[in-house]
Amino acid sequence: MLKNQDHRLTIAPMMDWTDRHCRFFHRQLTTRALLYTEMVVADAVIQGARERLLGFDAAEHPVALQLGGSDPGKLAEAARIGEAFGYDEINLNVGCPSDRVQSGTFGACLMKVPDLVAGCVAAMKAAVRIPVTVKCRIGVDEQDPEPALDALAEGVFDAGADALWVHARKAWLEGLSPKENRDIPPLDYGRVYRLKARKQNEFIGINGGIQSIEEARAHLDHIDGAMLGRAAYHTPGILAGVDATFYGVKSDPFDYAALIDAMAEYAARHIEQGGRLGHVTRHMVGLFHGLPGARRYRQILSTDATRPGAGPDVLKTAFAAVEFGAAAAEAA
């Protein structure tokens, strides 16, 4: 079982969003929250361009690699590769409902075969020394979430899983798009709480629909950890309160100027290596949500930062548009 303090607050793996640039940015806002990669398919890890798929900045630690797959041998090999790259944890995706994962018989499809999931976890645990965890749904399609989630949890913990993160919705593999699967199936936090009540000695974390760090903190009255997803991405400024709220780290008011300087330096390195400013700044658009000048900031990042040849100075120009009065600083 993971130490509760280590994983009290995590940032969810999100396809097309939580790439290395997003994670570096989020790490500037919170030094303690565990960050997750996008899901990477085990076959791609084994056969693909590993540096492009798995490379990350040392500043991102603690950072976990999420794998997709259903072949125990391939997942074990991919986990070994991930550990060698320096990841702090390997996570198995048993929750993604996209067409891509359905065609590959992994992701949320695996909710229907808990014995196979257990076998995958056992193989990964035997292959690495770092924690192996699982992220799942409460069920899929017509499954009854009570026995379905219990069966999945029993299997993965018996196989040695160090934690189970539960997105507190069903996934509908037919009839709903991946986007609709993030909103339409109703949330059932109580189902995850009941699992934790049965599994007092195991780490159970919760995900789905959490909009603020206050909501996340309230879940810890019932569960071991909370995972922020879209709220962290669309309004990343909320992450500036994570270290104090969840880890008791006392600090001065957050220094946004230092954050922008750090991101400008990071963007400059990325551009020198052949990248573009927009690869970095696309994750930063929502940073000053609700503050005076935020609209102009967004406009600059959405237009000027995406132009060919744009440099880090664009980021500093955008930041200069934000107004930090007393009330604004409190809102931030």
Side-chain angles (χ1 to χ4, degrees):
M1 178 179 176
L2 296 174
K3 295 180 180 179
N4 289 14
Q5 184 72 8
D6 295 341
H7 285 53
R8 290 172 66 83
L9 194 285
T10 67
I11 311 301
M14 292 175 277
M15 292 296 293
D16 300 321
W17 288 359
T18 51
D19 63 15
R20 62 189 302 170
H21 309 307
C22 176
R23 298 191 306 268
F24 184 89
F25 168 49
H26 284 172
R27 180 57 71 217
Q28 308 313 302
L29 291 156
T30 166
T31 64
R32 299 290 296 275
L34 177 68
L35 307 179
Y36 280 86
T37 69
E38 305 169 86
M39 181 188 70
V40 185
V41 178
D43 282 338
V45 171
I46 296 168
Q47 303 171 10
R50 293 179 184 173
E51 179 57 36
R52 178 178 61 81
L53 292 168
L54 301 181
F56 65 94
D57 192 288
E60 294 174 38
H61 287 294
V63 59
L65 170 65
Q66 187 183 67
L67 295 175
S70 58
D71 182 298
K74 290 180 178 179
L75 283 166
E77 177 62 19
R80 277 192 290 267
I81 294 168
E83 182 179 43
F85 260 78
Y87 283 96
D88 300 295
E89 173 187 312
I90 305 295
N91 178 266
L92 177 62
N93 184 318
V94 188
C96 181
S98 74
D99 293 340
R100 177 186 175 198
V101 300
Q102 290 187 54
S103 64
T105 319
F106 53 96
C109 299
L110 293 175
M111 291 293 301
K112 297 180 178 181
V113 283
D115 290 345
L116 175 58
V117 177
C120 292
V121 170
M124 295 162 74
K125 283 290 293 183
V128 300
R129 291 168 293 180
I130 57 177
V132 172
T133 65
V134 175
K135 186 171 185 289
C136 69
R137 294 281 185 130
I138 60 174
V140 295
D141 297 335
E142 300 297 339
Q143 281 186 328
D144 180 344
E146 296 297 327
L149 184 57
D150 280 350
L152 192 285
E154 291 288 347
V156 300
F157 284 126
D158 285 349
D162 295 282
L164 179 64
W165 289 94
V166 186
H167 185 154
R169 305 180 198 267
K170 268 190 173 185
W172 289 91
L173 302 179
E174 297 183 9
L176 293 180
S177 70
K179 181 179 184 300
E180 290 170 331
N181 262 300
R182 293 192 294 268
D183 295 301
I184 292 178
L187 286 161
D188 187 356
Y189 295 137
R191 177 64 192 96
V192 189
Y193 296 166
R194 290 193 295 278
L195 177 64
K196 177 57 190 176
R198 291 186 59 252
K199 293 287 185 183
Q200 289 291 320
N201 296 323
E202 308 290 359
F203 185 103
I204 309 288
I206 199 163
N207 171 232
I210 302 172
Q211 297 299 313
S212 67
I213 60 171
E214 291 76 21
E215 287 183 31
R217 178 64 187 84
H219 281 295
L220 298 190
D221 292 337
H222 309 277
I223 212 83
D224 298 311
M227 180 178 278
L228 285 172
R230 283 170 290 167
Y233 190 86
H234 291 306
T235 54
I238 68 175
L239 299 180
V242 164
D243 291 357
T245 301
F246 293 90
Y247 300 99
V249 177
K250 295 182 179 180
S251 63
D252 297 326
F254 193 84
D255 188 345
Y256 284 97
L259 164 65
I260 296 300
D261 286 343
M263 293 308 302
E265 291 175 8
Y266 175 85
R269 295 196 301 272
H270 177 61
I271 292 167
E272 288 173 3
Q273 295 166 2
R276 298 182 61 174
L277 179 65
H279 297 159
V280 176
T281 58
R282 75 184 185 96
H283 304 296
M284 302 176 64
V285 173
L287 177 60
F288 298 111
H289 178 77
L291 295 187
R295 181 178 180 183
R296 180 60 183 147
Y297 168 86
R298 292 194 300 269
Q299 288 173 337
I300 293 171
L301 292 194
S302 299
T303 55
D304 296 0
T306 61
R307 291 174 179 155
D313 56 306
V314 174
L315 182 53
K316 295 191 175 185
T317 299
F319 176 62
V322 184
E323 300 175 25
F324 283 94
E330 183 178 347

